[in-house]
Amino acid sequence: MPRVQLGLPVYNSGEVLQDSLDCLQAQTHKDFQVLMSDNASTDGTSDLCARMAAQDSRFVHMRRDKNVGALGNFHGVLRDADAALFAWRADDDLSAPDFLERLVAIFDARPGTVLAVTKVRTTQPGGKTGITPYPGRLAGVRVAQTLSQMFRGHASWIYGLWDRRAVTDAIDKVVENYPHLWGWDHLVLMQFILAGQVAGTNSSYIEQRLTARHDLS
């Protein structure tokens, strides 16, 4: 079993998905598996996922017979995973080649970590980019560290590397009590920020591409 699994929820993602798959295939950390959770796509997404699975055994195509909605697909692909470490990946996001390598190293170096994150690069239409750095660890009162992560963090931290068991318990409770697409990620993140279980590095990055998106369902 691989140490790391990535859950890739997809739906009619053909226009953006190939770049994301190529990015994952190029990761320097090789001990991973990608669960491509196809939410009953109606375009060429299923064919693309099937071709990738045929080319690289680390990529697994899981097609849902019925569309379960975006949140259902994000939740479901996590429930399908069984590796120790887990990361979601948006169908249009990219990352540095050493993204997984750097995050696995955080788990090895810092016992008690539940979520490992990097800086976030945001690319807007037209190519303009911005960087949100990981705020780092602050000396002194723990509340300062917590406030720093709360107000200087980024929603894309949800795409960091998780202790799978911990995040599964957290999202199960969120989905049960707040079954909505928008905001669930913040509710999950906040639990671990408050508990001081988020660690990060600025030596790598994930890239959030802001584009005219397709239906996320």
Side-chain angles (χ1 to χ4, degrees):
M1 177 185 298
R3 186 178 183 192
V4 176
Q5 284 176 312
L6 296 105
L8 180 58
V10 297
Y11 174 73
N12 289 357
S13 306
E15 295 181 0
V16 295
L17 181 58
Q18 187 64 62
D19 287 345
S20 182
L21 294 176
D22 291 343
C23 177
L24 291 174
Q25 196 171 35
Q27 289 294 300
T28 56
H29 179 86
K30 303 299 184 183
D31 184 22
F32 69 84
Q33 182 182 62
V34 179
L35 305 178
M36 300 177 290
S37 184
D38 178 5
N39 203 10
S41 294
T42 58
D43 66 350
T45 296
S46 292
D47 291 338
L48 177 57
C49 290
R51 287 196 301 271
M52 191 66 177
Q55 295 168 8
D56 190 330
S57 62
R58 296 175 300 174
F59 290 75
V60 179
H61 181 203
M62 306 186 310
R63 178 173 170 81
R64 300 190 185 280
D65 295 330
K66 179 180 179 181
N67 190 297
V68 295
L71 181 55
N73 203 18
F74 269 81
H75 188 201
V77 73
L78 172 61
R79 300 292 299 180
D80 291 331
D82 54 7
L85 301 177
F86 175 88
W88 283 288
R89 174 59 65 99
D91 60 4
D92 59 348
D93 282 355
L94 305 174
S95 62
D98 64 352
F99 177 73
L100 288 179
E101 181 180 353
R102 298 288 186 178
L103 295 185
V104 169
I106 290 174
F107 275 90
D108 290 339
R110 300 181 185 175
T113 297
V114 169
L115 170 62
V117 301
T118 64
K119 62 186 175 185
V120 179
R121 173 186 290 176
T122 302
T123 302
Q124 300 179 4
K128 184 178 179 180
T129 63
I131 295 289
T132 302
Y134 174 70
R137 302 182 68 85
L138 302 177
V141 182
R142 177 176 155 182
V143 69
Q145 174 77 15
T146 301
L147 291 173
S148 177
Q149 291 188 347
M150 286 175 61
F151 294 106
R152 296 173 59 200
H154 197 284
S156 285
W157 283 5
I158 198 72
Y159 297 110
L161 188 62
W162 292 91
D163 177 298
R164 180 186 57 82
R165 290 185 177 179
V167 72
T168 298
D169 290 343
I171 194 174
D172 283 352
K173 295 174 183 176
V174 167
V175 170
E176 179 181 355
N177 294 286
Y178 183 81
H180 308 287
L181 174 61
W182 304 113
W184 70 270
D185 48 351
H186 296 273
L187 295 175
V188 172
L189 286 168
M190 190 59 63
Q191 300 173 56
F192 301 104
I193 290 175
L194 292 174
Q197 294 173 316
V198 179
T201 177
N202 283 308
S203 62
S204 192
Y205 67 87
I206 189 167
E207 180 175 350
Q208 176 193 42
R209 295 192 289 177
L210 302 179
T211 57
R213 290 306 311 278
H214 52 274
D215 184 354
L216 294 176
S217 300

